[in-house]
Amino acid sequence: MTTMGAMIMTPLMGKLLLGTVVPVNAVAIAKSTVQVVLVPILLGMALNAQFPRRVQQILPYSPIVGVLLTCALVGTSVAGCAGPILSAGFSLQLAAALLHGLGGVAGYFLTQPFYGEEVCRTFAIEFAMKSSAFGYLLASLHFSDFAVRVPSAVSIVWMTLIGSSLAVASRFFPPQECQIPMDDDQGDDAENVVEETQS
């Protein structure tokens, strides 16, 4: 939902907010958004529909590939902006950390009235790991001023640290409700199996 919404909100918010400070080509940003967001989704869906067995064979390797690509992305982004990042000082680090930290907190507490603990934790991780890599790409493509991409580069680092930390913490301290609920018939069947085993 948020991914699809990004295709509309990114150029719109860029034009409404950034457009008051610097020139913004909303059409070009919308085109880049479709290329980066929509095309990979459609490609993945098509491959999964046409070659489901091949996709299932590749899936176990996806996490490690994702981690390696994330490391490369973070390293490349930070290396390209190392000087301006150091010059920006603590205030930029604090802003980026709060962006992802408060995002995780909001994702957890805003969903508590509607979902259980496991789903709330998932929302917290999802909100905290909203990647700024897309912002870095847009800044590189559509803004001539090099400094525009610096906040996104810092945000990528904090996204990785905070999101990964939440995921690890959730794994080591699993919610109590992770058991799959059974209806009455399933519960009776399970009790019968236990009794037969004991006898």
Side-chain angles (χ1 to χ4, degrees):
M1 177 77 87
T2 56
T3 301
M4 302 302 292
M7 293 188 296
I8 300 174
M9 297 306 298
T10 299
L12 178 62
M13 297 302 291
K15 185 66 175 179
L16 293 178
L17 299 179
L18 293 178
T20 61
V21 181
V22 294
V24 175
N25 189 338
V27 175
I29 292 178
K31 183 178 178 180
S32 296
T33 305
V34 170
Q35 292 173 342
V36 176
V37 177
L38 184 60
V39 171
I41 292 176
L42 295 178
L43 180 60
M45 293 173 61
L47 290 174
N48 191 39
Q50 295 296 322
F51 311 102
R53 297 181 62 182
R54 292 291 186 184
V55 171
Q56 291 300 319
Q57 292 174 350
I58 296 173
L59 280 180
Y61 304 98
S62 298
I64 186 62
V65 173
V67 170
L68 293 176
L69 291 177
T70 299
C71 292
L73 176 64
V74 171
T76 303
S77 303
V78 173
C81 304
I85 289 175
L86 293 175
S87 301
F90 177 74
S91 59
L92 178 58
Q93 301 294 332
L94 178 62
L98 288 175
L99 171 67
H100 295 282
L102 294 178
V105 172
Y108 180 81
F109 285 105
L110 291 178
T111 54
Q112 272 203 331
F114 311 102
Y115 300 100
E117 177 70 13
E118 187 176 8
V119 175
C120 291
R121 291 190 185 191
T122 303
F123 271 107
I125 297 171
E126 172 70 16
F127 277 45
M129 293 198 72
K130 283 301 176 187
S131 177
S132 299
F134 184 46
Y136 184 88
L137 175 63
L138 291 180
S140 303
L141 293 175
H142 301 288
F143 297 93
S144 57
D145 189 349
F146 185 84
V148 176
R149 67 190 74 177
V150 173
S152 295
V154 175
S155 180
I156 291 172
V157 177
W158 282 105
M159 175 272 297
T160 306
L161 293 174
I162 294 177
S164 300
S165 298
L166 289 176
V168 170
S170 184
R171 182 173 181 83
F172 278 95
F173 302 98
Q176 298 294 323
E177 59 182 39
C178 284
Q179 296 180 355
I180 300 175
M182 296 186 299
D183 57 30
D184 294 338
D185 293 337
Q186 290 175 323
D188 294 339
D189 293 340
E191 291 177 0
N192 293 334
V193 170
V194 172
E195 291 176 357
E196 292 175 359
T197 304
Q198 292 177 344
S199 59

